[in-house]
Amino acid sequence: IPSPFFTLSEYNCLFLIIWVVSTNYYLDHETVSATFIDSSGQFISSQVTGISRNPYCGYDQQTLSSQERMEEDSLLAALHRQVPDVGPVPFVKSTDPSSSYFVILNSAAFFQVGSQLEVLVHVQDFQRKPKKYGGDYLQARIHSPKLQAGAVGRVVDYQNGFYKVFFTLLWPGKVKVSIFLVHPSEGIRVLQRLQEDKPDRVYFKSLFRSGRISETTECNVCLPGNLPLCNFTDLYTGEPWFCFKPKKLPCSSRITHFKGGYLKGLLTAAESAFFQSGVNIKMPINSSGPDWVTVIPRRIKETNNLELSQGLGTFPSGYYYQDQWRPRKFKMRQFNDPDNITECLQRKVVHLFGDSTIRQWFEYLTTFVPDLVEFNLGSPKNVGPFLAVDQKHNILLKYRCHGPPIRFTTVFSSELHYVANELNGIVGGKNTVVAIAVWSHFSTFPLEVYIRRLRNIRRAVVRLLDRSPKTVVVIRTANAQELGPEVSLFNSDWYNFQLDTILRRMFSGVGVYLVDAWEMTLAHYLPHKLHPDEVIVKNQLDMFLSFVCPLET
């Protein structure tokens, strides 16, 4: 007669069966189809056999709808057209900024404010021979140092060694033109190869601990080889994340996440020649004639509203004048007094999500506004989460970093929250403000990774605005930064320009406000930095707060 009770071993067997079934049930179909579960209950990649450096990437296994696929293909096609495929090119035939030149085309004695200025750039190689193809990455601006004024230009690549740059002259005075070669086209092709073939060139690690036993393993969106993996793909967003399984510990014992480092030896000697400081990284291209024009005021009565009357276009989005950013589509307020900020944020909850460039906003506000006191949560320095409170005026300011990949020092695994999931937990309303900056930590991955992250965030933003239309949602764009030979391989402005382009297109028409950090760093006279100086951050926050508390009209 069989016993009505299970033996201990039978219970264990039943538990294992239930665990396996439930795990497969809660994982999305794409993740399950790409992995199998071994006898220890851990995930192993089934895509490769034998030890291999070909990475297994979770995003490759995601199934997209036809609309999502069409959007992704359109974004990628627009960006990939910028880089011509001309085969191997020796260094002496690559773009030489010192041999290249520009000329002002529509040269005139005087220009009026609001006029268009056209500049033709002709690039040559180190043998002083004209280039016959395009693909160089140029940055351009006009500026008047005495007026602390500046604006960016729009570059058009004719794919034949000639480029045209269009500027809108937005203030009177002597205006100087500056053109920079950020990377030659030959270097851009190397960066593109790294983006596609070396998505794991920045690697991450996690600490696993149980009792006295601890192990550290490598983690990433993409991991090489066929070693057992711990699958930390987010159950709600489907965002993939993997770690190599510890030898002695279960995947559930993960404690922390941190940046591991950067892969070395990524370039051949020939490729390295395309990345030389003082030679072909962010080097000026000189003019073959005058490099400045004189601009006179426009003959209209309401000159103060000129930028509004000319603001129908989308480029440039604004300009500096007397070190203050002036958007062309609306009148920006200046929050020069802490009381102005307190009055604006009174009775509001402000959520800051993203990387360290939006953490600068938290740091600026808590330093500048005395009543906004940071509450010590015991969080790691420069990591968070952070919280500041002004009890007198009922203001709550929060900062939380976005989920992996993120190149911070130690972050507790429990604090790795995805922005989309955080947005889903916000009720919203007229007293809720959300600001998001997600870009810098995605520069080393194929663009599909960034597109799918933004798609998840966009869905959550749309849901938030649908249930609470009066919620203010602000997106901070990418910004330019200082570049050297090594930094270029991981954080190049070319990578960030791609991310910035994708972000703008994907959030167009969504109902969010945009703080154009990209133009605000390129147009300013200060050297580019990953974390811009305070004067630029102050202008960013003035723009942000102007969205929250616009001028009454």
Side-chain angles (χ1 to χ4, degrees):
I1 299 175
S3 169
F5 302 99
F6 289 115
T7 65
L8 181 59
S9 60
E10 287 170 331
Y11 267 121
N12 289 337
C13 182
L14 179 62
F15 174 80
L16 179 60
I17 293 172
I18 294 173
W19 187 92
V20 170
V21 171
S22 63
T23 303
N24 277 272
Y25 178 80
Y26 285 109
L27 284 171
D28 56 84
H29 170 73
E30 295 75 35
T31 301
V32 174
S33 65
T35 59
F36 66 85
I37 303 174
D38 70 357
S39 59
S40 64
Q42 309 303 332
F43 294 89
I44 302 178
S45 168
S46 61
Q47 285 197 316
V48 292
T49 57
I51 298 299
S52 170
R53 283 304 296 183
N54 294 324
Y56 165 70
C57 295
Y59 72 90
D60 283 338
Q61 312 306 315
Q62 296 173 336
T63 300
L64 303 181
S65 67
S66 57
Q67 185 177 1
E68 291 169 342
R69 178 63 65 185
M70 187 180 303
E71 177 186 44
E72 189 171 288
D73 289 345
S74 174
L75 291 167
L76 295 176
L79 292 169
H80 285 168
R81 280 202 304 268
Q82 301 168 357
V83 186
D85 185 9
V86 294
V89 176
F91 171 72
V92 293
K93 292 188 177 181
S94 67
T95 305
D96 175 15
S98 64
S99 298
S100 305
Y101 61 90
F102 72 84
V103 59
I104 297 174
L105 289 181
N106 52 341
S107 182
F110 295 99
F111 291 85
Q112 283 191 358
V113 170
S115 300
Q116 292 290 313
L117 181 67
E118 296 182 15
V119 172
L120 185 69
V121 183
H122 189 197
V123 297
Q124 300 189 134
D125 61 25
F126 285 88
Q127 296 175 325
R128 307 191 74 83
K129 294 181 179 179
K131 296 283 292 294
K132 301 297 184 182
Y133 55 89
D136 301 295
Y137 178 38
L138 307 178
Q139 290 175 349
R141 71 182 177 111
I142 49 174
H143 52 108
S144 298
K146 290 184 179 180
L147 298 174
Q148 294 180 308
V152 300
R154 179 171 61 90
V155 180
V156 176
D157 183 354
Y158 289 100
Q159 297 293 324
N160 59 2
F162 286 92
Y163 301 80
K164 190 174 283 188
V165 187
F166 298 88
F167 298 98
T168 301
L169 300 169
L170 294 167
W171 63 87
K174 183 177 179 179
V175 177
K176 180 179 171 62
V177 176
S178 292
I179 311 290
F180 288 85
L181 174 74
V182 182
H183 294 299
S185 57
E186 296 78 16
I188 294 295
R189 287 168 54 216
V190 175
L191 295 178
Q192 190 176 45
R193 175 183 66 78
L194 293 176
Q195 190 175 49
E196 297 297 329
D197 298 343
K198 297 291 184 181
D200 58 341
R201 63 189 183 281
V202 174
Y203 58 94
F204 306 85
K205 291 187 176 183
S206 272
L207 172 67
F208 296 78
R209 179 185 296 150
S210 180
R212 296 183 178 181
I213 302 175
S214 62
E215 296 182 61
T216 299
T217 71
E218 185 178 336
C219 307
N220 221 322
V221 173
C222 306
L223 284 178
N226 69 336
L227 297 175
L229 300 178
C230 291
N231 189 331
F232 296 112
T233 297
D234 185 68
L235 296 178
Y236 298 98
T237 63
E239 293 286 355
W241 191 254
F242 304 94
C243 294
F244 286 128
K245 179 192 174 299
K247 295 179 180 179
K248 300 179 181 179
L249 297 175
C251 295
S252 58
S253 63
R254 184 172 65 143
I255 302 296
T256 63
H257 161 97
F258 55 96
K259 181 183 72 176
Y262 301 86
L263 293 182
K264 305 294 183 182
L266 295 169
L267 304 184
T268 65
E271 291 173 332
S272 296
F274 302 137
F275 299 92
Q276 300 183 62
S277 295
V279 177
N280 50 17
I281 299 178
K282 277 201 179 181
M283 292 297 295
I285 293 176
N286 294 319
S287 172
S288 64
D291 62 354
W292 58 274
V293 296
T294 299
V295 182
I296 61 176
R298 191 171 183 176
R299 297 174 183 175
I300 60 174
K301 293 181 179 180
E302 298 182 4
T303 55
N304 290 337
N305 291 328
L306 175 64
E307 62 267 23
L308 301 182
S309 65
Q310 309 236 336
L312 297 178
T314 58
F315 193 92
S317 68
Y319 63 99
Y320 283 106
Y321 191 80
Q322 295 177 342
D323 235 3
Q324 294 180 351
W325 183 252
R326 296 187 177 186
R328 297 180 68 202
K329 286 190 174 182
F330 74 100
K331 191 71 173 179
M332 191 175 89
R333 297 177 59 185
Q334 299 296 321
F335 291 82
N336 297 326
D337 191 293
D339 291 341
N340 301 145
I341 298 178
T342 299
E343 181 183 2
C344 174
L345 296 181
Q346 189 167 5
R347 295 185 297 278
K348 286 181 172 58
V349 178
V350 182
H351 302 267
L352 305 178
F353 296 118
D355 54 36
S356 57
T357 61
I358 204 166
R359 190 186 70 223
Q360 284 188 282
W361 291 14
F362 181 93
E363 294 164 347
Y364 179 92
L365 288 171
T366 53
T367 301
F368 186 67
V369 182
D371 291 337
L372 203 52
V373 180
E374 184 173 354
F375 186 85
N376 187 1
L377 297 175
S379 301
K381 184 180 179 182
N382 298 333
V383 173
F386 299 126
L387 179 70
V389 179
D390 179 350
Q391 289 185 318
K392 181 180 177 182
H393 301 96
N394 201 18
I395 301 172
L396 181 61
L397 176 66
K398 300 179 177 181
Y399 164 78
R400 178 177 288 280
C401 68
H402 65 72
I406 192 156
R407 302 175 205 157
F408 283 2
T409 53
T410 303
V411 185
F412 290 108
S413 302
S414 60
E415 298 292 359
L416 288 174
H417 297 192
Y418 289 94
V419 173
N421 292 339
E422 291 293 301
L423 293 174
N424 289 334
I426 294 175
V427 175
K430 65 179 182 179
N431 291 325
T432 302
V433 181
V434 175
I436 302 167
V438 177
W439 60 277
S440 180
H441 300 262
F442 289 81
S443 58
T444 56
F445 296 98
L447 295 172
E448 292 90 337
V449 176
Y450 188 61
I451 291 171
R452 296 176 194 189
R453 177 63 60 90
L454 289 189
R455 185 179 291 128
N456 279 323
I457 294 174
R458 185 177 63 187
R459 286 191 185 118
V461 167
V462 170
R463 286 192 293 265
L464 173 59
L465 294 177
D466 187 49
R467 64 180 178 267
S468 302
K470 293 185 178 181
T471 307
V472 175
V473 180
V474 180
I475 307 291
R476 182 205 186 277
T477 73
N479 60 256
Q481 70 171 89
E482 66 276 24
L483 294 180
E486 186 174 19
V487 174
S488 296
L489 308 184
F490 305 96
N491 276 15
S492 169
D493 282 358
W494 182 75
Y495 288 139
N496 295 328
F497 172 72
Q498 290 183 308
L499 301 181
D500 188 73
T501 302
I502 289 171
L503 183 146
R504 292 169 189 268
R505 293 193 179 194
M506 291 187 68
F507 278 91
S508 176
V510 174
V512 301
Y513 298 97
L514 202 72
V515 171
D516 199 336
W518 186 258
E519 287 195 23
M520 294 172 86
T521 51
L522 287 179
H524 204 272
Y525 55 83
L526 286 173
H528 297 164
K529 293 182 180 180
L530 174 60
H531 301 111
D533 284 342
E534 185 176 293
V535 62
I536 299 176
V537 175
K538 194 266 184 188
N539 276 289
Q540 292 174 3
L541 277 163
D542 284 347
M543 192 170 187
F544 165 67
L545 293 169
S546 296
F547 294 139
V548 179
C549 305
L551 284 170
E552 295 182 5
T553 58

